[in-house]
Amino acid sequence: MDYIVGYTADDRGRDAVSLAVALARRQGATLNLVMVMPEHSPFNAVYPPERGFESILSAQLQEWLAEGLGLIPDDVTARAHVISADSQAGGLIDAAADSGASLIVIGASSRGLRKRFNVGSVAGTLLHASPVPVALAPQGYRRLDPITRLTCAVGTRAGADAVIAVAVDSAARRGLPLRLVSLVALDPATGTDGGADAAAVEAAHEHANTRLAEAAASLAAGGQVSVEVVEGATVEEAIGALAWDEGEILLVGSSRLAQHSRLFLGATANKILRALTVPMVVVPRSYTFFEDQPSHQERSTATRSEAGEGTDAQPTEVK
């Protein structure tokens, strides 16, 4: 399978590459580093036709992509592409659609605190429009070793079962232990931001200890699955109360307001993101995980036969 990595020639791009490598090593995925060249620029008229601005920019992007490929260990297959698009987010979505990629990986905005997220314009657009899951690397993420555990945050609203199914499938494919977490003080059954009374909290505990446990048993019989209940007056407090492995990732579902098979990051997920210190993967509503994707071998054959064709994608190197 293929992952699209939104690469930039800065620390944010390095964060994205590091997370993509960690994920790929558990899945045997091929990384496609992508840099987006604007389709239209006011500088085009400044340069002579034989040395147009697009040509100069493309050469620079190719150079940066070559540097990005140098960050990837030899045991991970990677390619690099310069594509043309109206926006960086749109270009990454187009690249994912064209390649049949199952994931888009990006880094947090450089304005955030170290090991915290600050969602910039590119991430914001992807988190409200992508048809495939988006993985977000926190600032300063440099771990290249394989992911060690997957945590899935779930609630009682419609769609929770689908997120659990995605988490179970992902954990099984990667041979990872899975932790199902209910943030009880923030669950829709208990109110928001500490407004729950004791009875509501008790009901949330009962839900977490029965419904989630049943889901874990039925969806991952024999697997390494644990259930954890966390209370907090705020989302940030609840997230802070959780113990996180260094090699862990958190999986959350898209808001119920999202269109079918599209992302929309809800208010609770936004608060989780602000307090999180590990990578987070957001899954589109009604997303069918990997089953409907063509096999890696099928896509590899197509990629080899089409290499170099077309005007949008320009492979730089294959490792």
Side-chain angles (χ1 to χ4, degrees):
M1 66 184 55
D2 289 359
Y3 296 162
I4 298 297
V5 184
Y7 183 70
T8 49
D10 54 16
D11 288 341
R12 181 179 58 180
R14 190 177 184 121
D15 295 340
V17 169
S18 297
L19 176 56
V21 168
L23 291 167
R25 280 180 157 167
R26 276 290 185 183
Q27 194 70 28
T30 294
L31 304 185
N32 289 277
L33 272 63
V34 173
M35 296 193 81
V36 179
M37 183 170 63
E39 290 184 336
H40 307 288
S41 171
F43 296 103
N44 287 336
V46 177
Y47 294 87
E50 64 274 11
R51 197 168 186 271
F53 176 73
E54 288 187 0
S55 177
I56 295 172
L57 179 57
S58 178
Q60 179 61 77
L61 295 179
Q62 296 280 4
E63 181 180 334
W64 284 333
L65 280 171
E67 295 173 358
L69 286 172
L71 301 173
I72 300 174
D74 291 337
D75 64 312
V76 177
T77 302
R79 305 181 180 90
H81 308 271
V82 173
I83 66 172
S84 297
D86 287 334
S87 68
Q88 186 174 353
L92 296 177
I93 290 174
D94 290 344
D98 291 343
S99 66
S102 55
L103 185 70
I104 296 174
V105 186
I106 57 174
S109 171
S110 58
R111 297 190 301 273
L113 296 174
R114 183 170 178 80
K115 294 188 177 181
R116 289 293 191 275
F117 290 92
N118 187 35
V119 177
S121 59
V122 175
T125 301
L126 286 173
L127 291 174
H128 289 80
S130 177
V132 300
V134 173
L136 299 157
Q139 187 176 2
Y141 191 84
R142 292 293 185 272
R143 180 185 172 85
L144 297 177
D145 293 334
I147 298 300
T148 58
R149 184 170 70 171
L150 174 63
T151 288
C152 178
V154 297
T156 58
R157 287 181 177 176
D161 288 349
V163 176
I164 294 173
V166 170
V168 168
D169 185 77
S170 179
R173 288 173 180 269
R174 290 171 169 82
L176 290 172
L178 172 64
R179 177 174 63 162
L180 300 177
V181 170
S182 177
L183 307 177
V184 297
L186 307 167
D187 193 277
T190 66
T192 58
D193 294 343
D197 57 22
V201 171
E202 183 179 354
H205 272 279
E206 182 179 354
H207 168 265
N209 289 317
T210 56
R211 179 64 188 87
L212 296 186
E214 291 170 359
S218 62
L219 294 173
Q224 301 180 56
V225 182
S226 61
V227 175
E228 192 165 340
V229 177
V230 183
E231 293 183 42
T234 65
V235 175
E236 292 86 353
E237 181 180 307
I239 288 295
L242 283 167
W244 298 98
D245 290 348
E246 183 180 352
E248 189 162 10
I249 60 173
L250 173 68
L251 187 143
V252 300
S254 178
S255 167
R256 70 189 189 283
L257 300 177
Q259 296 180 6
H260 181 72
S261 299
R262 288 292 186 274
L263 286 181
F264 188 91
L265 200 64
T268 298
N270 261 309
K271 293 176 182 178
I272 290 174
L273 191 62
R274 289 200 299 267
L276 199 62
T277 59
V278 300
M280 184 166 90
V281 178
V282 187
V283 179
R285 182 184 176 191
S286 305
Y287 182 75
T288 302
F289 201 58
F290 295 147
E291 280 84 356
D292 293 337
Q293 301 289 338
S295 69
H296 176 65
Q297 182 177 3
E298 289 171 345
R299 281 209 300 270
S300 296
T301 302
T303 300
R304 286 194 296 270
S305 65
E306 297 169 4
E309 295 180 5
T311 57
D312 289 342
Q314 303 178 40
T316 299
E317 180 182 344
V318 177
K319 293 180 64 179

